[in-house]
Amino acid sequence: MPWLFLIVTLIGAWFTFNAYIPQRRTGPLVVPSFFAGWLTSELSAHHVAGQLAATLFFVWAGALRAWPGWVGLGITLASWLGLLALGRVAQRAAPVVETALQDALGPGYAEGILPEISERMAAPDPPGRQLVPFLLFDRAVQVTRGIEYAPGAGRKRQLDVYAPRLGVRDAPVLLQIHGGGWVIGDKREQALPMMNHLAARGWVCVAANYRLSPRATFPDHLVDVKLALRWIRENIAGFGGDPLFVAASGGSAGGHLSSMLALTAGDPEYQPGFEEVDTSVRACVPFYGVYDLTDQYGLQAQPGIDSFFGRVVLKKSFAEEPDAFRRVSPMHRIHADAPPF
């Protein structure tokens, strides 16, 4: 039992260590390191609770009768300190965001928010939501799934709508674009807490699928996202949304696509057959996206993304066609009429 306890504590400590120093290089450890780090950093309090329960069990079972058990106990205590520190890091995010908002919009920006909207957005989550974070539904939200926004491609051209169950009129609309390296992912898998949170407070949210590589070649992905926006313009009023107020969001590849959507409004290259449709958005909130596939400033966190994108998604070589990579890089598409990011 002491040796088993030591092994378990080493595994728990690896989760904590990985949350601080994840594996960022390409290779077989990238994906497990990503998911392990994500779960640990987002749910550090849950990890502490789980490790505490395991420690109490092993102590009860006699793990401290030999020196490996005591070493394991020391490792566990160090792991707990690291996890609690992660929690403090997370708590520091709110004032950082608030400072950025005040810098951009002015110290009194909150005074311009209507009181009823401010109160609604500040409403607490349902009881138990933080305790059970994977409870990915909300009784106040009505979800309509599997709506086809354009013919062809089956489920890859379907979307889901999240709207207040009690109804709403002229609500702001969020278009959520999933990530997955342009090759995997689904509208049912990402940003569900965010969409439920917003829909329960008066927004209408749309999560859209799109065609994926390697079968699809860019800009197929972006064309589909714009087709989803066209559907929103034409149909979202039936769900209580305002077709003239649409914000875009997404993570990873979705961060790239939402950024490209916001920066290429009305670009006929990406709107074949529906060039006249207004594909502008009022704001864009991308998360951990890929913004420069040329890596012009040497800031790319993961070397090889540009070559992967060229080989699998764009199907072009950067060495032979560098301009093609610049055109699909949001950083190189910034212009004076861009919406707020």
Side-chain angles (χ1 to χ4, degrees):
M1 189 60 69
W3 282 102
L4 180 59
F5 179 47
L6 178 58
I7 293 171
V8 170
T9 60
L10 287 171
I11 294 173
W14 176 82
F15 274 87
T16 303
F17 175 80
N18 179 72
Y20 282 96
I21 309 177
Q23 169 61 247
R24 294 188 182 276
R25 300 291 175 178
T26 55
L29 295 179
V30 169
V31 172
S33 175
F34 170 79
F35 283 105
W38 163 54
L39 290 169
T40 306
S41 59
E42 293 288 342
L43 303 173
S44 58
H46 295 72
H47 274 264
V48 170
Q51 291 186 15
L52 175 61
T55 299
L56 292 175
F57 168 77
F58 279 107
V59 170
W60 171 81
L64 300 183
R65 293 173 183 168
W67 68 265
W70 286 100
V71 173
L73 182 61
I75 292 172
T76 293
L77 293 174
S79 178
W80 292 352
L81 290 175
L83 290 169
L84 293 173
L86 283 174
R88 293 180 63 85
V89 170
Q91 291 173 354
R92 292 203 299 267
V96 170
V97 173
E98 182 62 29
T99 299
L101 288 171
Q102 293 188 20
D103 288 345
L105 305 176
Y109 80 92
E111 298 173 2
I113 302 174
L114 294 174
E116 60 268 27
I117 294 178
S118 181
E119 293 173 8
R120 186 165 66 234
M121 295 307 295
D125 284 322
R129 176 57 54 83
Q130 292 188 0
L131 185 63
V132 188
F134 291 109
L135 192 66
L136 299 179
F137 67 90
D138 193 307
R139 291 190 178 93
V141 177
Q142 175 71 46
V143 183
T144 305
R145 302 189 184 279
I147 300 172
E148 184 180 74
Y149 63 79
R155 288 181 57 193
K156 296 305 178 187
R157 281 183 168 174
Q158 290 183 357
L159 54 79
D160 299 339
V161 178
Y162 295 71
R165 188 174 294 276
L166 297 179
V168 70
R169 290 184 59 186
D170 298 326
V173 179
L174 177 75
L175 172 57
Q176 155 64 26
I177 305 165
H178 72 77
W182 305 277
V183 297
I184 60 173
D186 186 88
K187 57 184 169 57
R188 300 169 298 175
E189 299 170 352
Q190 298 175 22
L192 302 184
M194 179 176 72
M195 290 189 292
N196 278 311
H197 179 88
L198 290 174
R201 290 157 176 79
W203 282 66
V204 174
C205 300
V206 177
N209 276 343
Y210 52 88
R211 286 172 291 173
L212 299 171
S213 295
R215 177 173 294 183
T217 300
F218 198 88
D220 292 349
H221 320 65
L222 181 57
V223 170
D224 286 355
V225 170
K226 285 175 174 278
L227 286 169
L229 181 55
R230 180 184 70 173
W231 182 93
I232 291 173
R233 292 272 191 257
E234 298 173 350
N235 299 279
I236 205 62
F239 294 87
D242 180 357
L244 300 180
F245 189 103
V246 182
S249 184
S252 191
H256 168 259
L257 291 171
S258 60
S259 299
M260 285 294 293
L261 171 68
L263 293 168
T264 62
D267 189 332
E269 179 182 359
Y270 305 126
Q271 298 180 208
F274 60 108
E275 293 87 353
E276 76 290 348
V277 173
D278 176 12
T279 55
S280 64
V281 295
R282 295 288 291 274
C284 185
V285 189
F287 293 92
Y288 54 93
V290 180
Y291 306 116
D292 184 10
L293 288 154
T294 70
D295 199 17
Q296 177 174 332
Y297 303 100
L299 299 175
Q300 192 59 264
Q302 291 207 19
I305 284 183
D306 50 354
S307 62
F308 170 83
F309 184 86
R311 184 177 68 258
V312 177
V313 183
L314 188 61
K315 296 171 186 165
K316 294 181 179 180
S317 166
F318 179 75
E320 297 175 358
E321 302 181 70
D323 286 343
F325 285 76
R326 291 189 185 94
R327 287 191 56 76
V328 300
S329 296
M331 188 174 290
H332 297 284
R333 302 300 296 261
I334 298 171
H335 54 85
D337 295 326
F341 269 71

